[in-house]
């Protein structure tokens, strides 16, 4: 039994220490939340099983969904309605076959080939941001000036946000994910972005451009599938899922590499090693951990020898599965040449990250270019002085002061 949940990380470079003992205790461990008990899935094999079993749902409306257990009382009608507006088109929360209608429309936008075509654009944005950093002096907050800006500008290009609107788009996406601003302020930013995307889709309905939004509008016209609101929701999901994740991985990866000068020097000498390094950084940090892996059984079943009843909720501990010694040798060691692609940092099964090829390209270009163009980059301060986001839903950094 886990005494409490969520369990905070004690060290920025490792999952919570208790994960190790829970993983050895059993593949499924019970924990008590205010609204009821849920299962924590601790091992890699059972995590894969849970994420692929069609009898297990991710839909928050399925009875017993574990997110509801965080609160002692069900949400009021008013709360339900306030949330419902932002739930339209969120296929990350849908089960097949409904989920597949949305995902199918977007798959061509994120293939390896399509992402290869995006690389020059990502490189251009990266070069511009680093050029601005160098122009402005010899110190910066890498979260503010680079980590948050790069994924936001990449999504702008992907969606076809006109250049003149980039500042608006960037400031609102930033505000949406700042953990230290009030809930009301972040809801306002949510609403402003939603409204903006609504306008972008309305404009494309008049005149579809050669970009993701234009192609969605055309596909909708041809197939008759999905509503205008569903398209707004889909693009909103791309933004939410693709921004905070990448924005946190950029500074965390930079810090990790700067703290390991030997492995960084090897990468500088052999830049072909970057794709493997990115893969290992994703496994090592597992920034999404349990938050996206909320599932509920819809039938009685057995997982890892444990009976699970219909209506029982589960959280897959991605960060624990990614350190499972049954699958990864020396799991707690950062080995940038490891080459393990069976990590769960992008999930597994039908909901496996749709934007993973894009995320890999962004991270690889960001790290490689930054270390090439600023070879004297250094962190200002010790690890215990740096502001990590221990309380955020996605692990990351609030700021990363650097100098060169
Ligand atoms: C380092 C960066 C990223 C990480 C660690 C990450 C992680 C994840 C994970 C763990 C899931 C699975 C959720 C589940 O099982 O319910 C997921 C789903 C998803 N991600 Fe990512 N992601 C990243 C970047 C991106 C980017 C750049 C995009 C697009 C612009 C994106 C779009 C999505 C979408 C649309 C889904 C939902 C897929 C579905 O339900 O079918 N992600 N991501």
């Amino acid at each position: 039994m886990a005494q409490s949940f969520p369990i905070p990380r004690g060290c920025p470079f490792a999952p919570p220490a208790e994960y190790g003992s829970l993983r050895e205790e059993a593949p499924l461990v019970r924990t008590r939340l205010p609204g009821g008990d849920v299962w924590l899935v601790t091992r890699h094999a059972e995590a894969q099983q849970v994420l692929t079993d069609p009898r297990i749902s991710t839909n928050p409306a399925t009875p017993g969904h574990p997110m509801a257990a965080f609160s002692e009382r069900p949400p009021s009608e008013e709360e339900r309605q306030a949330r419902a507006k932002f739930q339209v088109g969120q296929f990350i929360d849908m089960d097949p076959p409904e989920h597949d209608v949305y995902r199918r429309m977007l798959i061509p936008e994120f293939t390896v080939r399509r992402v290869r075509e995006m690389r020059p654009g990502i490189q251009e944005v990266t070069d511009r941001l680093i050029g601005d950093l160098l122009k402005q002096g010899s110190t910066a907050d890498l979260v503010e000036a680079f980590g948050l800006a790069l994924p936001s500008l990449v999504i702008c290009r992907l969606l076809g946000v006109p250049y003149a609107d980039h500042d608006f788009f960037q400031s609102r996406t930033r505000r949406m994910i700042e953990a230290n601003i009030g809930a009301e302020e972040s809801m306002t930013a949510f609403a402003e972005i939603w409204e903006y995307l609504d306008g972008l889709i309305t404009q494309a309905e008049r005149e579809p451009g050669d970009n993701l939004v234009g192609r969605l509008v055309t596909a909708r016209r041809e197939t008759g599938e999905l509503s205008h609101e569903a398209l707004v929701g889909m693009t909103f999901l791309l933004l939410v899922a693709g921004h905070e994740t990448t924005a946190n991985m950029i500074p965390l990866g930079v810090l990790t590499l700067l703290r390991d000068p030997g492995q960084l020097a090897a990468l500088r000498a052999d830049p072909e090693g970057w794709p493997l390094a990115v893969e290992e950084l994703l496994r090592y940090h597992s920034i999404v951990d349990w938050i996206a892996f909320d599932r509920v059984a819809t039938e009685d079943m057995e997982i890892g020898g444990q009976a699970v009843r219909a209506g029982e909720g589960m959280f897959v501990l991605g960060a624990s599965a990614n350190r499972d010694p049954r699958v990864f040798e020396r799991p707690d060691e950062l080995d940038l040449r490891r080459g393990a692609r069976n990590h769960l940092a992008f999930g597994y099964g039908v909901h496996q990250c749709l934007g993973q090829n894009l995320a890999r390209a962004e991270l690889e270009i960001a790290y490689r270019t930054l270390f090439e163009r600023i070879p004297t980059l250094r962190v200002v301060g010790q690890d215990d002085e740096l502001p990590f986001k221990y309380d955020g839903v996605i692990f990351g950094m609030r700021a990363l002061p650097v100098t060169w």
Side-chain angles (χ1 to χ4, degrees):
M1 177 102 182
Q3 293 311 314
S4 67
F5 190 78
I7 308 169
R9 294 184 191 222
C11 155
F13 300 105
E18 289 90 329
Y19 279 13
S21 44
L22 294 176
R23 195 170 52 230
E24 290 325 301
E25 186 183 320
L28 268 72
V29 177
R30 210 92 174 115
T31 191
R32 183 143 299 162
L33 293 179
D37 287 0
V38 300
W39 293 108
L40 304 178
V41 182
T42 64
R43 295 184 193 162
H44 191 275
E46 285 74 13
Q48 285 189 327
Q49 190 183 334
V50 167
L51 296 176
T52 46
D53 192 317
R55 300 167 299 170
I56 295 178
S57 165
T58 189
N59 187 338
T62 308
H65 190 275
M67 281 301 188
F70 280 116
S71 145
E72 270 173 59
R73 59 164 182 84
S76 67
E77 192 46 39
E78 206 178 311
E79 285 165 338
R80 231 196 312 264
Q81 277 180 16
R83 270 185 234 160
K85 179 174 163 46
F86 299 113
Q87 278 164 354
V88 182
Q90 305 306 293
F91 57 95
I92 196 165
D93 287 337
M94 297 176 193
D95 294 322
E98 189 190 14
H99 160 267
D100 307 348
V101 177
Y102 290 81
R103 182 153 174 137
R104 213 173 30 233
M105 273 178 124
L106 284 170
I107 283 175
E109 301 295 335
F110 293 97
T111 58
V112 172
R113 208 195 86 225
R114 182 60 65 77
V115 171
R116 203 178 301 131
E117 290 163 6
M118 287 184 220
R119 287 182 79 107
I122 302 172
Q123 185 70 58
E124 196 186 305
V125 174
T126 308
D127 286 338
R128 182 151 43 84
L129 289 172
I130 296 177
D132 290 348
L133 271 181
L134 291 170
K135 250 186 261 154
Q136 117 212 321
S138 61
T139 57
D141 169 11
L142 212 67
V143 170
E144 176 75 21
F146 192 58
L148 286 166
L150 178 61
S152 174
L153 292 171
V154 168
I155 293 174
C156 277
R157 287 181 85 109
L158 182 73
L159 298 180
V161 171
Y163 192 78
D165 296 343
H166 281 194
D167 281 349
F168 167 86
F169 199 80
Q170 249 190 292
S171 70
R172 297 314 185 278
T173 51
R174 183 170 311 181
R175 222 181 290 160
M176 244 167 49
I177 65 169
E178 273 170 7
N180 51 358
I181 63 167
E184 205 174 304
E185 212 180 317
S186 69
M187 277 315 257
T188 307
F190 258 58
E192 285 174 343
I193 283 281
W194 189 279
E195 206 178 304
Y196 182 85
L197 292 170
D198 195 338
L200 199 67
I201 296 202
T202 306
Q203 170 64 27
E205 279 160 353
R206 279 188 224 116
E207 207 182 321
D210 180 20
N211 52 46
L212 184 146
V213 168
R215 285 186 288 273
L216 283 185
V217 165
T218 308
R220 181 177 160 237
R221 209 169 275 158
E222 283 166 5
T223 60
E225 283 177 333
L226 305 182
S227 62
H228 168 93
E229 285 70 31
L231 294 197
V232 179
M234 272 164 99
T235 48
F236 187 76
L237 172 61
L238 290 180
L239 177 65
V240 172
H243 188 223
E244 186 166 3
T245 44
T246 319
N248 280 316
M249 263 318 285
I250 291 173
L252 268 183
V254 170
L255 172 68
T256 311
L257 292 162
L258 286 172
R259 294 287 189 242
D260 197 333
Q263 294 204 69
L264 179 57
L267 278 169
R268 282 196 167 118
D270 175 21
E272 299 286 308
W274 277 110
L276 284 193
V278 165
E279 224 56 55
E280 174 69 347
L281 287 168
L282 285 160
R283 180 196 74 86
Y284 189 72
H285 286 295
S286 296
I287 56 167
V288 175
D289 196 6
W290 57 274
I291 189 72
F293 303 130
D294 45 350
R295 302 292 196 267
V296 53
T298 62
E299 288 177 24
D300 292 351
M301 61 180 75
E302 202 184 285
I303 304 167
Q306 173 65 54
V308 174
R309 300 258 177 79
E312 288 185 344
M314 297 167 235
F315 287 115
V316 173
L317 304 184
S320 174
N322 278 342
R323 301 273 181 125
D324 188 343
R326 293 160 192 79
V327 177
F328 305 102
E329 269 178 44
R330 302 164 282 108
D332 294 325
E333 208 176 287
L334 177 80
D335 174 0
L336 296 179
R337 304 187 61 82
R338 182 186 294 272
R341 287 182 73 100
N342 55 343
H343 63 73
L344 304 181
F346 288 125
Y348 195 70
V350 291
H351 291 284
Q352 193 179 43
C353 182
L354 180 69
Q356 59 183 287
N357 296 324
L358 176 59
R360 288 186 173 105
E362 283 184 63
L363 294 177
E364 189 198 316
I365 292 172
Y367 299 144
R368 182 178 41 69
T369 314
L370 195 65
F371 289 114
E372 260 168 31
R373 293 210 35 206
I374 319 185
T376 56
L377 193 70
R378 295 189 308 282
V379 175
V380 179
Q382 302 303 312
D383 290 346
D384 56 6
E385 298 161 346
L386 297 173
F388 292 97
K389 270 197 258 179
Y390 289 109
D391 55 349
V393 288
I394 293 179
F395 184 66
M397 304 190 75
R398 292 215 159 78
L400 178 59
V402 291
T403 185
W404 54 88

